[in-house]
Amino acid sequence: MLGGEYNAHMKRRLLISAGIAGALVGAATTAGGAYAYFWDRSNADAIASGVTIAGIDVGGLHAAQARALLDARLVRPLRRPLRVEHGAHSFLVRPARAGLQVDVARMVDAAVELSRSGGLADRLLRELRGRRLHESVPLRAALSDDALSTFVQHVAMVVDRPARPARVVPVGVATSLRVIPSRDGVAVKRDLLRSALAAGLLRADGTRTLVIPTRVVRPRWTTETIARRYPTFLLVSRETFTLRLYKKLKLARTYRIAVGRSGLETPAGLYEINDKQVNPSWHVPLSAWAGDLAGRIIPPGPDDPIKSRWMGFWDGAGIHGTEDNASIGSAASHGCIRMTIPDVEALYPLVPLHTPIYVG
C-alpha cells in the first residue's frame, strides 16, 4: 500500500518537472523568434556583406547610405566631361548633353533584393556566421542615341579629310607636264567612335580622354600610280608650235606643227581624241570662211586638205597631215593642228582613242 502511494507521488513530480522544462524551452524559443523577427525588420533595407554595385562595395550599408555612396563615387565622376582628340582637334563631351541618366535607386533596390534572398533563417545564419553573399549589380545607366550620333557626325565633319588624287598639269606655255602629288585622306570610324564614347562616358574611373579612331583614305590615283592612268598624253603648245607625245608621262617625241590663225584659233583646253581615220574625207565646217564649200564633204584627193590621217578632238578640230609644209611652225590653219605627212603617219598608231590632249 505504501509502495503504491510512493510511485504515484513520484510520477506527479516528474510530470511537473517536465512541464516546467517545456515551458522554459518554449519561452526561450519564443524569445529567439521574436528577436530574429525584429532583427530582420530592422534590416529590411540592409545590403548583405559581399554585394557590389557597378564594382563599388556596398555591403553592410542601408539603402540610403548606399545611394549616398553611389552618388559620390559613381554619379559625380560620371558627370565629368569627356575629352576626345585627334591631332590638333579637340572636342569636349558633356555627359548631361549626351543624355546621361544613372538609375541609382533601381541599382540599390536590386542589391537589397539580392540581400534578402532565401528565408529568414538563411539570412540570420548568414549574419551570425559572417558569410559574404558575393553578388554584383551591374551599372544601370543610359545615354541618348541621337545625342551621340549628332556628336559623332560633328566630329567627322571637322576631322574627315578627303584623299587628294595625283593629277597632271601643263607647265608654262604647255611645253611640259608636272605631276601634282597625291595625299592620303582621313576618315573617322564613326561606329567605333560612337561605341568608344558610350564606354568612356559610362566609365567612372580612369582617364576622361579618348583618342578618335580614324582610318586612312587612299586616293584612286597616287603619285606612284598616276602614270598608269596616262599611258599616252598629247601636249600642244600654240605659242611654240609644238606637239609633244608623252608615254606614261615621259616625253617620247616632239613634233613641229601649225595651229589656227588669228580669229580661227585652235581651241584651248583639255580634250580627248574621239575620232581616228586613215585617208579621211574633209567635212567642211558651216563657217563663213568656207564660202561655197561650207557643209560639203570633200573626198580624199587633191582637193582635200586633210591629208593621210585624222585625229579629231573637238567640234571639227583635229590633228591631220598637210602638203603645205611651209605652214608648219606658224598660225596658218582654220583651227586644226597641221603636221607633215610623215610625222602624222608616225604619230597616228601611237595615239589610241580617248587619249587626253591639252591645247595651251
Side-chain angles (χ1 to χ4, degrees), residues 64-80:
Q65 295 171 317
R67 287 192 292 270
L69 180 64
L70 291 178
D71 185 67
R73 293 185 54 188
L74 179 65
V75 177
R76 291 179 190 174
L78 286 178
R79 287 176 178 163
R80 291 181 295 139

Side-chain angles (χ1 to χ4, degrees), residues 224-282:
E224 294 72 28
T225 63
I226 188 64
R228 293 205 297 268
R229 185 182 182 185
Y230 298 109
T232 307
F233 198 106
L234 297 177
L235 188 61
V236 175
S237 172
R238 295 179 299 178
E239 187 167 329
T240 63
F241 307 108
T242 53
L243 182 150
R244 288 172 170 81
L245 170 68
Y246 286 83
K247 289 293 185 178
K248 296 184 178 179
L249 300 182
K250 300 294 185 181
L251 182 62
R253 182 75 185 274
T254 301
Y255 301 91
R256 294 285 290 169
I257 60 172
V259 296
R261 67 185 66 170
S262 178
L264 295 170
E265 291 87 355
T266 303
L270 179 64
Y271 309 96
E272 67 174 39
I273 300 299
N274 54 31
D275 182 28
K276 292 186 68 178
Q277 296 180 42
V278 175
N279 296 322
S281 297
W282 179 31

Side-chain angles (χ1 to χ4, degrees), residues 278-289:
V278 175
N279 296 322
S281 297
W282 179 31
H283 294 257
V284 184
L286 291 170
S287 300
W289 62 261

Side-chain angles (χ1 to χ4, degrees), residues 93-109:
V93 188
R94 300 193 180 279
R97 297 195 64 179
L100 176 67
Q101 293 182 339
V102 184
D103 198 342
V104 171
R106 189 177 177 187
M107 290 187 290
V108 171
D109 288 346

Side-chain angles (χ1 to χ4, degrees), residues 168-336:
V168 175
V169 296
V171 177
V173 291
T175 53
S176 64
L177 289 175
R178 180 165 65 93
V179 174
I180 304 298
S182 60
R183 184 189 66 188
D184 290 341
V186 175
V188 173
K189 294 181 178 179
R190 299 190 181 201
D191 290 343
L192 191 57
L193 174 58
R194 193 181 180 288
S195 299
L197 278 173
L201 287 168
L202 297 179
R203 186 175 59 243
D205 58 346
T207 179
R208 298 291 279 181
T209 301
L210 174 68
V211 177
I212 298 170
T214 60
R215 61 183 177 86
V216 176
V217 180
R218 304 292 184 186
R220 172 66 181 86
W221 296 105
T222 66
T223 307
E224 294 72 28
T225 63
I226 188 64
R228 293 205 297 268
R229 185 182 182 185
Y230 298 109
T232 307
F233 198 106
L234 297 177
L235 188 61
V236 175
S237 172
R238 295 179 299 178
E239 187 167 329
T240 63
F241 307 108
T242 53
L243 182 150
R244 288 172 170 81
L245 170 68
Y246 286 83
K247 289 293 185 178
K248 296 184 178 179
L249 300 182
K250 300 294 185 181
L251 182 62
R253 182 75 185 274
T254 301
Y255 301 91
R256 294 285 290 169
I257 60 172
V259 296
R261 67 185 66 170
S262 178
L264 295 170
E265 291 87 355
T266 303
L270 179 64
Y271 309 96
E272 67 174 39
I273 300 299
N274 54 31
D275 182 28
K276 292 186 68 178
Q277 296 180 42
V278 175
N279 296 322
S281 297
W282 179 31
H283 294 257
V284 184
L286 291 170
S287 300
W289 62 261
D292 294 340
L293 294 177
R296 293 178 56 186
I297 298 177
I298 309 300
D303 295 330
D304 181 6
I306 309 299
K307 300 299 183 183
S308 185
R309 301 290 186 269
W310 170 260
M311 289 171 276
F313 59 85
W314 184 80
D315 194 25
I319 305 168
H320 64 81
T322 182
E323 290 180 336
D324 185 8
N325 290 342
S327 68
I328 300 299
S330 67
S333 77
H334 296 100
C336 287

